[in-house]
Coordinates of all heavy atoms in Angstrom, one line a residue:
Chain B
G269 N 119.9 194.5 74.1 CA 119.9 193.9 72.7 C 121.3 193.7 72.2 O 121.7 192.6 71.7
A270 N 122.2 194.7 72.5 CA 123.6 194.5 72.1 C 124.3 193.4 72.8 O 125.1 192.7 72.2 CB 124.3 195.9 72.3
Q271 N 124.0 193.3 74.1 CA 124.6 192.2 74.9 C 124.2 190.9 74.3 O 125.0 189.9 74.1 CB 124.1 192.3 76.3 CG 124.9 191.4 77.3 CD 126.3 191.6 77.3 OE1 126.8 192.8 77.4 NE2 127.1 190.5 77.1
A272 N 122.9 190.7 74.0 CA 122.3 189.5 73.5 C 122.9 189.2 72.1 O 123.3 188.1 71.8 CB 120.8 189.5 73.4
A273 N 123.1 190.2 71.2 CA 123.6 190.0 69.9 C 125.0 189.5 70.0 O 125.4 188.6 69.2 CB 123.6 191.3 69.1
T274 N 125.8 190.1 70.9 CA 127.2 189.6 71.0 C 127.2 188.2 71.5 O 128.0 187.4 70.9 CB 127.9 190.5 72.1 OG1 127.8 191.8 71.7 CG2 129.3 190.1 72.3
T275 N 126.4 187.8 72.4 CA 126.3 186.4 72.9 C 125.9 185.5 71.7 O 126.5 184.4 71.6 CB 125.3 186.3 74.0 OG1 125.6 187.3 75.0 CG2 125.3 184.9 74.6
V276 N 125.0 185.9 70.9 CA 124.6 185.0 69.8 C 125.8 184.8 68.9 O 126.0 183.6 68.5 CB 123.5 185.7 69.0 CG1 123.2 185.0 67.6 CG2 122.2 185.7 69.8
V277 N 126.5 185.8 68.5 CA 127.6 185.6 67.6 C 128.7 184.8 68.3 O 129.3 183.9 67.6 CB 128.2 187.0 67.1 CG1 129.4 186.8 66.3 CG2 127.1 187.7 66.3
L278 N 129.0 185.0 69.5 CA 130.1 184.3 70.2 C 129.7 182.8 70.3 O 130.5 181.9 70.1 CB 130.3 184.8 71.6 CG 131.4 185.9 71.7 CD1 131.5 186.4 73.1 CD2 132.8 185.3 71.2
F279 N 128.4 182.5 70.6 CA 128.0 181.1 70.6 C 128.2 180.4 69.3 O 128.6 179.3 69.1 CB 126.5 181.0 71.0 CG 126.3 180.6 72.5 CD1 126.9 181.4 73.5 CD2 125.6 179.5 72.8 CE1 126.7 181.1 74.8 CE2 125.5 179.1 74.2 CZ 126.0 180.0 75.2
A280 N 127.8 181.2 68.2 CA 127.9 180.7 66.8 C 129.4 180.4 66.5 O 129.7 179.6 65.6 CB 127.3 181.7 65.9
L281 N 130.3 181.2 67.1 CA 131.7 181.0 66.8 C 132.3 179.8 67.6 O 133.1 179.0 67.1 CB 132.5 182.3 67.1 CG 132.2 183.4 66.2 CD1 132.9 184.7 66.7 CD2 132.8 183.2 64.8
I282 N 131.8 179.7 68.8 CA 132.4 178.7 69.7 C 131.9 177.3 69.4 O 132.7 176.4 69.3 CB 132.1 179.0 71.2 CG1 132.9 180.3 71.7 CG2 132.4 177.9 72.1 CD1 132.5 180.8 73.0
F283 N 130.6 177.2 69.2 CA 130.1 175.8 69.0 C 130.2 175.3 67.6 O 131.0 174.3 67.3 CB 128.7 175.6 69.6 CG 128.8 175.8 71.1 CD1 128.4 177.0 71.8 CD2 129.4 174.8 71.9 CE1 128.6 177.1 73.1 CE2 129.5 174.9 73.3 CZ 129.1 176.1 73.9
P284 N 129.5 175.8 66.6 CA 129.6 175.2 65.2 C 131.0 175.4 64.6 O 131.4 174.6 63.8 CB 128.5 176.0 64.4 CG 128.0 177.1 65.2 CD 128.5 176.9 66.6
V285 N 131.6 176.5 65.0 CA 133.0 176.7 64.4 C 134.1 176.0 65.2 O 134.6 174.9 64.9 CB 133.3 178.1 64.1 CG1 134.7 178.2 63.4 CG2 132.2 178.8 63.2
Y286 N 134.3 176.6 66.4 CA 135.5 176.1 67.2 C 135.3 174.6 67.6 O 136.1 173.8 67.3 CB 135.7 177.0 68.4 CG 136.9 176.5 69.2 CD1 138.2 176.5 68.7 CD2 136.7 176.0 70.5 CE1 139.2 176.1 69.5 CE2 137.7 175.5 71.2 CZ 139.0 175.5 70.7 OH 140.0 175.0 71.5
Y287 N 134.3 174.4 68.4 CA 134.2 173.0 69.0 C 133.9 172.0 67.9 O 134.5 170.9 68.0 CB 133.1 173.0 70.1 CG 133.2 171.8 71.0 CD1 134.2 171.7 71.9 CD2 132.4 170.7 70.7 CE1 134.4 170.6 72.7 CE2 132.6 169.5 71.5 CZ 133.6 169.5 72.5 OH 133.7 168.3 73.2
N288 N 133.1 172.3 67.0 CA 132.7 171.4 65.9 C 134.0 171.0 65.1 O 134.2 169.8 64.8 CB 131.7 172.0 65.0 CG 131.1 171.1 64.0 OD1 130.9 169.9 64.3 ND2 131.0 171.6 62.8
V289 N 134.7 172.0 64.7 CA 135.9 171.8 63.9 C 136.9 170.9 64.7 O 137.5 170.0 64.2 CB 136.6 173.1 63.4 CG1 137.9 172.8 62.7 CG2 135.6 173.7 62.4
L290 N 137.1 171.3 65.9 CA 138.0 170.6 66.8 C 137.6 169.1 66.9 O 138.5 168.2 66.7 CB 138.0 171.2 68.2 CG 138.7 170.4 69.3 CD1 140.2 170.1 69.1 CD2 138.5 171.1 70.7
S291 N 136.4 168.9 67.2 CA 136.0 167.4 67.4 C 136.0 166.7 66.0 O 136.3 165.5 66.0 CB 134.7 167.3 68.1 OG 133.6 167.5 67.2
L292 N 135.7 167.4 64.9 CA 135.7 166.7 63.6 C 137.2 166.3 63.2 O 137.4 165.2 62.8 CB 135.2 167.6 62.5 CG 133.6 167.6 62.4 CD1 133.2 168.5 61.3 CD2 133.1 166.2 62.2
V293 N 138.1 167.3 63.4 CA 139.5 167.0 63.1 C 140.0 165.8 63.9 O 140.6 164.9 63.4 CB 140.4 168.2 63.2 CG1 141.9 167.8 63.1 CG2 140.0 169.3 62.2
V294 N 139.7 165.8 65.2 CA 140.2 164.8 66.1 C 139.5 163.4 65.7 O 140.2 162.4 65.6 CB 139.9 165.1 67.6 CG1 140.2 163.9 68.5 CG2 140.7 166.3 68.0
T295 N 138.2 163.4 65.5 CA 137.5 162.2 65.2 C 138.0 161.6 63.8 O 138.3 160.4 63.7 CB 136.0 162.4 65.1 OG1 135.6 163.1 66.3 CG2 135.3 161.1 65.0
R296 N 138.1 162.5 62.8 CA 138.5 162.0 61.5 C 139.9 161.5 61.5 O 140.3 160.6 60.8 CB 138.3 163.1 60.5 CG 137.0 163.7 60.3 CD 136.1 162.8 59.5 NE 134.7 163.0 59.8 CZ 134.0 164.0 59.2 NH1 134.6 164.8 58.3 NH2 132.8 164.2 59.6
R297 N 140.7 162.2 62.3 CA 142.1 161.7 62.4 C 142.1 160.3 63.1 O 142.8 159.4 62.5 CB 142.9 162.7 63.3 CG 144.4 162.3 63.5 CD 145.1 163.3 64.4 NE 144.6 163.2 65.8 CZ 144.6 164.1 66.7 NH1 145.2 165.3 66.4 NH2 144.2 163.9 67.9
D298 N 141.4 160.1 64.1 CA 141.4 158.8 64.8 C 140.8 157.7 63.9 O 141.1 156.6 64.0 CB 140.6 158.9 66.2 CG 141.4 159.7 67.2 OD1 142.6 160.0 66.8 OD2 140.9 160.0 68.3
E299 N 139.8 158.1 63.1 CA 139.2 157.1 62.2 C 140.0 156.9 61.0 O 139.7 156.1 60.1 CB 137.8 157.7 61.7 CG 136.7 157.7 62.7 CD 135.5 158.3 62.2 OE1 135.5 159.2 61.3 OE2 134.3 158.0 62.7
L300 N 141.2 157.6 60.9 CA 142.1 157.5 59.7 C 141.5 158.0 58.4 O 142.0 157.8 57.4 CB 142.6 156.0 59.5 CG 143.5 155.5 60.6 CD1 143.6 154.0 60.5 CD2 144.8 156.1 60.6
V301 N 140.4 158.8 58.6 CA 139.8 159.4 57.4 C 140.8 160.4 56.8 O 140.9 160.5 55.6 CB 138.4 160.0 57.7 CG1 137.9 160.8 56.6 CG2 137.5 159.0 58.2
L302 N 141.4 161.2 57.7 CA 142.3 162.3 57.1 C 143.4 161.6 56.4 O 143.8 162.0 55.3 CB 142.8 163.1 58.3 CG 141.8 163.9 59.1 CD1 142.5 164.8 60.2 CD2 140.9 164.7 58.2
K303 N 144.0 160.6 57.0 CA 145.1 160.0 56.3 C 144.8 159.3 55.0 O 145.5 159.4 54.0 CB 145.7 158.9 57.3 CG 147.0 158.3 56.8 CD 147.6 157.3 57.7 CE 149.0 156.8 57.1 NZ 149.5 155.7 57.9
R304 N 143.6 158.7 55.0 CA 143.1 158.1 53.8 C 143.0 159.1 52.6 O 143.4 158.9 51.5 CB 141.8 157.3 54.0 CG 141.2 156.6 52.8 CD 142.1 155.4 52.5 NE 141.7 154.6 51.3 CZ 142.1 154.8 50.1 NH1 142.9 155.8 49.8 NH2 141.7 154.0 49.1
L305 N 142.4 160.3 53.0 CA 142.2 161.3 52.0 C 143.5 161.9 51.5 O 143.6 162.3 50.4 CB 141.2 162.4 52.5 CG 139.8 162.0 52.7 CD1 139.0 163.0 53.5 CD2 139.1 161.8 51.3
R306 N 144.5 161.9 52.4 CA 145.8 162.5 52.0 C 146.5 161.7 51.0 O 147.4 162.1 50.4 CB 146.7 162.5 53.3 CG 146.3 163.6 54.3 CD 147.3 163.7 55.3 NE 148.3 164.6 54.9 CZ 149.6 164.5 55.2 NH1 150.0 163.5 55.9 NH2 150.5 165.4 54.8
T307 N 146.1 160.3 50.8 CA 146.8 159.6 49.8 C 146.3 160.0 48.4 O 146.9 159.6 47.4 CB 146.4 158.1 50.0 OG1 145.0 157.9 49.7 CG2 146.8 157.6 51.3
G308 N 145.2 160.7 48.3 CA 144.7 161.1 47.0 C 145.1 162.5 46.6 O 146.1 163.0 47.1
E309 N 144.3 163.0 45.7 CA 144.7 164.4 45.1 C 144.4 165.5 46.1 O 144.9 166.6 45.9 CB 143.9 164.6 43.8 CG 144.4 163.6 42.7 CD 143.4 163.5 41.5 OE1 143.1 164.6 41.0 OE2 143.0 162.4 41.2
T310 N 143.5 165.3 47.0 CA 143.1 166.3 48.0 C 144.2 166.8 48.8 O 145.0 166.0 49.3 CB 142.0 165.7 48.9 OG1 141.0 165.1 48.2 CG2 141.4 166.8 49.7
R311 N 144.4 168.1 48.8 CA 145.5 168.7 49.6 C 145.1 168.9 51.1 O 143.8 169.0 51.3 CB 145.9 170.1 49.0 CG 146.6 169.9 47.7 CD 146.9 171.2 47.0 NE 147.9 171.0 46.0 CZ 149.2 171.0 46.2 NH1 149.7 171.2 47.4 NH2 150.1 170.8 45.3
D312 N 146.0 169.0 51.9 CA 145.7 169.1 53.4 C 144.9 170.3 53.6 O 143.9 170.3 54.4 CB 147.1 169.3 54.2 CG 147.9 168.0 54.1 OD1 147.3 167.0 53.6 OD2 149.1 168.1 54.4
S313 N 145.2 171.5 53.0 CA 144.4 172.7 53.3 C 143.0 172.5 52.8 O 142.1 173.1 53.4 CB 145.1 173.9 52.5 OG 145.3 173.6 51.2
E314 N 142.8 171.8 51.7 CA 141.4 171.5 51.2 C 140.6 170.7 52.3 O 139.4 171.0 52.5 CB 141.4 170.8 49.9 CG 142.1 171.6 48.8 CD 142.4 170.7 47.6 OE1 142.0 169.6 47.5 OE2 143.2 171.2 46.8
Q315 N 141.2 169.7 52.8 CA 140.6 168.9 53.8 C 140.1 169.8 55.0 O 139.0 169.7 55.5 CB 141.5 167.8 54.4 CG 141.7 166.7 53.5 CD 142.0 165.5 54.4 OE1 141.2 165.1 55.2 NE2 143.1 164.8 54.1
L316 N 141.0 170.6 55.5 CA 140.7 171.4 56.7 C 139.7 172.5 56.4 O 138.7 172.7 57.2 CB 142.0 172.1 57.2 CG 143.1 171.1 57.7 CD1 144.3 171.8 58.1 CD2 142.5 170.3 58.9
L317 N 139.8 173.1 55.2 CA 138.8 174.1 54.8 C 137.4 173.4 54.7 O 136.4 173.9 55.2 CB 139.2 174.7 53.4 CG 138.4 175.9 52.9 CD1 138.6 177.0 54.0 CD2 138.9 176.3 51.6
A318 N 137.4 172.2 54.1 CA 136.1 171.5 54.0 C 135.5 171.1 55.3 O 134.3 171.1 55.5 CB 136.3 170.2 53.1
I319 N 136.3 170.9 56.3 CA 135.8 170.6 57.7 C 135.3 171.8 58.3 O 134.3 171.8 59.0 CB 136.9 169.9 58.5 CG1 137.2 168.5 58.1 CG2 136.6 170.0 60.0 CD1 138.3 167.8 58.9
A320 N 135.9 173.0 58.0 CA 135.5 174.2 58.7 C 134.2 174.8 58.0 O 133.5 175.5 58.7 CB 136.6 175.2 58.6
L321 N 134.1 174.6 56.7 CA 133.0 175.3 55.9 C 131.6 175.1 56.5 O 130.9 176.1 56.7 CB 133.0 174.9 54.5 CG 134.1 175.7 53.6 CD1 134.1 175.2 52.2 CD2 133.8 177.2 53.7
P322 N 131.1 173.9 56.8 CA 129.7 173.8 57.3 C 129.5 174.6 58.5 O 128.5 175.3 58.7 CB 129.6 172.3 57.5 CG 130.6 171.7 56.7 CD 131.7 172.6 56.6
G323 N 130.4 174.5 59.5 CA 130.3 175.3 60.8 C 130.3 176.8 60.5 O 129.5 177.5 61.2
C324 N 131.2 177.2 59.6 CA 131.2 178.7 59.3 C 129.9 179.1 58.7 O 129.4 180.2 59.0 CB 132.4 178.9 58.4 SG 134.0 178.7 59.2
A325 N 129.4 178.2 57.8 CA 128.1 178.6 57.2 C 127.0 178.7 58.2 O 126.2 179.7 58.2 CB 127.7 177.5 56.2
V326 N 127.0 177.8 59.3 CA 126.0 177.9 60.3 C 126.2 179.2 61.1 O 125.2 179.9 61.3 CB 126.1 176.7 61.3 CG1 125.3 176.9 62.5 CG2 125.7 175.4 60.6
A327 N 127.4 179.5 61.4 CA 127.7 180.8 62.1 C 127.2 182.0 61.4 O 126.6 182.9 62.0 CB 129.2 180.9 62.4
L328 N 127.4 182.0 60.1 CA 127.0 183.1 59.3 C 125.5 183.2 59.2 O 124.9 184.3 59.4 CB 127.6 183.0 57.8 CG 127.7 184.2 57.0 CD1 128.5 185.2 57.7 CD2 128.2 183.9 55.6
V329 N 124.8 182.1 59.0 CA 123.4 182.1 59.0 C 122.8 182.5 60.3 O 121.9 183.4 60.3 CB 122.9 180.6 58.6 CG1 121.4 180.5 58.9 CG2 123.2 180.3 57.2
V330 N 123.4 182.0 61.4 CA 122.9 182.4 62.7 C 123.0 183.9 62.9 O 122.1 184.6 63.4 CB 123.6 181.6 63.8 CG1 123.3 182.3 65.2 CG2 123.1 180.2 63.8
S331 N 124.2 184.5 62.5 CA 124.3 185.9 62.8 C 123.4 186.8 61.9 O 123.1 187.9 62.3 CB 125.8 186.4 62.7 OG 126.4 185.7 61.7
V332 N 123.1 186.3 60.7 CA 122.1 187.0 59.9 C 120.7 186.8 60.4 O 119.9 187.8 60.5 CB 122.2 186.5 58.4 CG1 121.0 187.0 57.6 CG2 123.5 186.8 57.8
L333 N 120.4 185.6 60.9 CA 119.1 185.3 61.5 C 118.9 186.2 62.8 O 117.8 186.7 63.0 CB 119.1 183.8 61.9 CG 117.8 183.1 61.9 CD1 117.2 183.1 60.5 CD2 118.0 181.7 62.3
A334 N 120.0 186.4 63.5 CA 119.9 187.2 64.7 C 119.4 188.7 64.4 O 118.6 189.3 65.1 CB 121.3 187.3 65.4
V335 N 119.9 189.2 63.2 CA 119.5 190.5 62.8 C 117.9 190.5 62.5 O 117.2 191.4 63.0 CB 120.2 190.9 61.5 CG1 119.6 192.2 60.9 CG2 121.7 191.1 61.8
A336 N 117.5 189.5 61.8 CA 116.0 189.4 61.5 C 115.2 189.2 62.8 O 114.2 190.0 63.0 CB 115.8 188.2 60.6
V337 N 115.6 188.4 63.7 CA 114.9 188.2 65.0 C 114.9 189.4 65.8 O 113.9 189.9 66.3 CB 115.5 187.0 65.8 CG1 114.9 186.9 67.2 CG2 115.3 185.7 65.0
G338 N 116.2 190.1 65.8 CA 116.3 191.3 66.6 C 115.3 192.4 66.0 O 114.6 193.1 66.8
A339 N 115.3 192.5 64.7 CA 114.4 193.5 64.1 C 113.0 193.3 64.4 O 112.2 194.2 64.7 CB 114.6 193.5 62.6
A340 N 112.6 192.0 64.4 CA 111.2 191.7 64.8 C 110.9 192.0 66.2 O 109.7 192.3 66.6 CB 111.0 190.2 64.5
L341 N 111.9 192.1 67.1 CA 111.7 192.4 68.5 C 112.0 193.9 68.8 O 112.3 194.2 70.0 CB 112.6 191.5 69.4 CG 112.2 190.0 69.3 CD1 113.2 189.1 70.0 CD2 110.8 189.7 69.8
G342 N 112.1 194.7 67.8 CA 112.2 196.1 68.0 C 113.7 196.6 68.1 O 113.9 197.7 68.5
Q343 N 114.6 195.7 67.8 CA 116.1 196.1 67.8 C 116.3 196.8 66.5 O 115.7 196.5 65.4 CB 117.0 194.9 68.0 CG 116.8 194.3 69.4 CD 117.4 195.1 70.5 OE1 118.4 195.9 70.2 NE2 116.8 195.1 71.6
P344 N 117.3 197.7 66.4 CA 117.6 198.4 65.2 C 118.3 197.5 64.2 O 118.9 196.4 64.6 CB 118.6 199.5 65.6 CG 119.3 199.0 66.9 CD 118.2 198.1 67.5
L345 N 118.3 197.8 62.9 CA 119.1 197.0 61.9 C 120.6 197.5 62.0 O 120.8 198.6 62.5 CB 118.6 197.3 60.5 CG 117.2 196.8 60.3 CD1 116.6 197.3 58.9 CD2 117.2 195.2 60.3
P346 N 121.5 196.6 61.6 CA 122.9 196.9 61.7 C 123.2 198.2 61.0 O 122.7 198.5 59.9 CB 123.6 195.7 61.1 CG 122.6 194.6 61.2 CD 121.3 195.2 61.1
V347 N 124.1 199.0 61.6 CA 124.6 200.2 61.1 C 125.4 199.9 59.8 O 125.2 200.6 58.7 CB 125.5 201.0 62.0 CG1 126.1 202.3 61.4 CG2 124.7 201.4 63.3
N348 N 126.2 198.9 59.8 CA 127.0 198.5 58.7 C 127.0 197.0 58.4 O 127.8 196.2 58.9 CB 128.5 199.0 58.9 CG 129.4 198.8 57.7 OD1 129.0 198.1 56.8 ND2 130.4 199.5 57.6
P349 N 125.9 196.6 57.8 CA 125.7 195.1 57.6 C 126.9 194.4 56.9 O 127.2 193.3 57.3 CB 124.5 195.0 56.7 CG 123.9 196.4 56.6 CD 124.9 197.3 57.0
L350 N 127.5 195.0 55.9 CA 128.6 194.4 55.2 C 129.8 194.1 56.2 O 130.3 193.1 56.3 CB 129.1 195.3 54.1 CG 130.3 194.8 53.3 CD1 130.0 193.5 52.6 CD2 130.9 195.9 52.3
L351 N 130.1 195.1 57.0 CA 131.2 195.0 58.0 C 130.8 194.0 59.1 O 131.6 193.2 59.6 CB 131.4 196.4 58.7 CG 132.8 196.5 59.3 CD1 133.9 196.1 58.3 CD2 133.0 197.9 59.8
H352 N 129.5 193.9 59.4 CA 129.0 192.9 60.3 C 129.4 191.4 59.8 O 130.0 190.6 60.5 CB 127.5 193.0 60.5 CG 126.9 191.9 61.4 ND1 127.2 191.9 62.7 CD2 126.0 191.0 61.2 CE1 126.5 190.9 63.3 NE2 125.8 190.3 62.4
V353 N 129.1 191.2 58.5 CA 129.4 190.0 57.9 C 130.9 189.8 57.8 O 131.4 188.6 58.1 CB 128.8 189.8 56.5 CG1 129.3 188.6 55.7 CG2 127.3 189.8 56.6
V354 N 131.7 190.8 57.4 CA 133.1 190.6 57.3 C 133.7 190.2 58.7 O 134.6 189.4 58.8 CB 133.8 192.0 56.8 CG1 135.3 192.0 57.0 CG2 133.4 192.2 55.4
G355 N 133.2 190.9 59.7 CA 133.7 190.6 61.1 C 133.4 189.2 61.5 O 134.3 188.5 62.0
V356 N 132.2 188.7 61.2 CA 131.9 187.3 61.5 C 132.8 186.4 60.7 O 133.3 185.4 61.3 CB 130.4 187.0 61.3 CG1 130.1 185.6 61.4 CG2 129.5 187.8 62.2
L357 N 133.0 186.6 59.4 CA 133.8 185.7 58.6 C 135.3 185.7 59.1 O 135.9 184.6 59.3 CB 133.8 186.2 57.2 CG 132.6 185.8 56.4 CD1 132.6 186.4 55.0 CD2 132.3 184.3 56.4
A358 N 135.8 186.9 59.5 CA 137.1 186.9 60.0 C 137.2 186.1 61.3 O 138.2 185.3 61.5 CB 137.6 188.4 60.3
A359 N 136.2 186.3 62.2 CA 136.2 185.5 63.4 C 136.1 184.0 63.2 O 136.7 183.2 63.9 CB 135.1 186.0 64.3
C360 N 135.3 183.6 62.2 CA 135.2 182.2 61.8 C 136.6 181.7 61.4 O 136.9 180.6 61.9 CB 134.2 182.1 60.6 SG 132.5 182.1 61.0
G361 N 137.3 182.4 60.6 CA 138.6 182.0 60.2 C 139.5 181.7 61.4 O 140.2 180.7 61.5
L362 N 139.4 182.7 62.4 CA 140.3 182.6 63.5 C 139.9 181.4 64.4 O 140.7 180.6 64.7 CB 140.1 183.9 64.4 CG 140.7 183.8 65.8 CD1 142.2 183.4 65.8 CD2 140.4 185.0 66.6
F363 N 138.6 181.2 64.7 CA 138.2 180.1 65.5 C 138.4 178.8 64.9 O 138.7 177.8 65.6 CB 136.8 180.3 66.0 CG 136.7 181.3 67.2 CD1 136.5 182.7 67.0 CD2 136.8 180.8 68.5 CE1 136.5 183.5 68.1 CE2 136.8 181.7 69.6 CZ 136.6 183.1 69.4
A364 N 138.3 178.7 63.6 CA 138.5 177.4 62.9 C 140.0 177.1 63.0 O 140.4 175.9 63.2 CB 138.1 177.5 61.4

Side-chain angles (χ1 to χ4, degrees):
Chain B
Q271 188 61 49
T274 304
T275 308
V276 168
V277 172
L278 268 178
F279 260 59
L281 291 169
I282 290 173
F283 294 102
V285 182
Y286 177 70
Y287 195 77
N288 186 41
V289 170
L290 166 61
S291 79
L292 280 182
V293 171
V294 171
T295 310
R296 302 281 157 83
R297 181 183 67 205
D298 289 355
E299 288 174 334
L300 291 168
V301 172
L302 299 184
K303 187 178 183 187
R304 182 68 179 93
L305 287 167
R306 290 188 86 214
T307 64
E309 295 166 50
T310 310
R311 289 175 163 275
D312 296 346
S313 52
E314 295 163 16
Q315 283 212 57
L316 295 176
L317 191 60
I319 285 179
L321 276 178
C324 292
V326 170
L328 200 61
V329 166
V330 166
S331 39
V332 170
L333 213 58
V335 171
V337 172
L341 296 171
Q343 294 290 328
L345 289 171
V347 175
N348 190 339
L350 177 65
L351 201 53
H352 178 61
V353 169
V354 168
V356 170
L357 284 179
C360 280
L362 165 61
F363 278 89

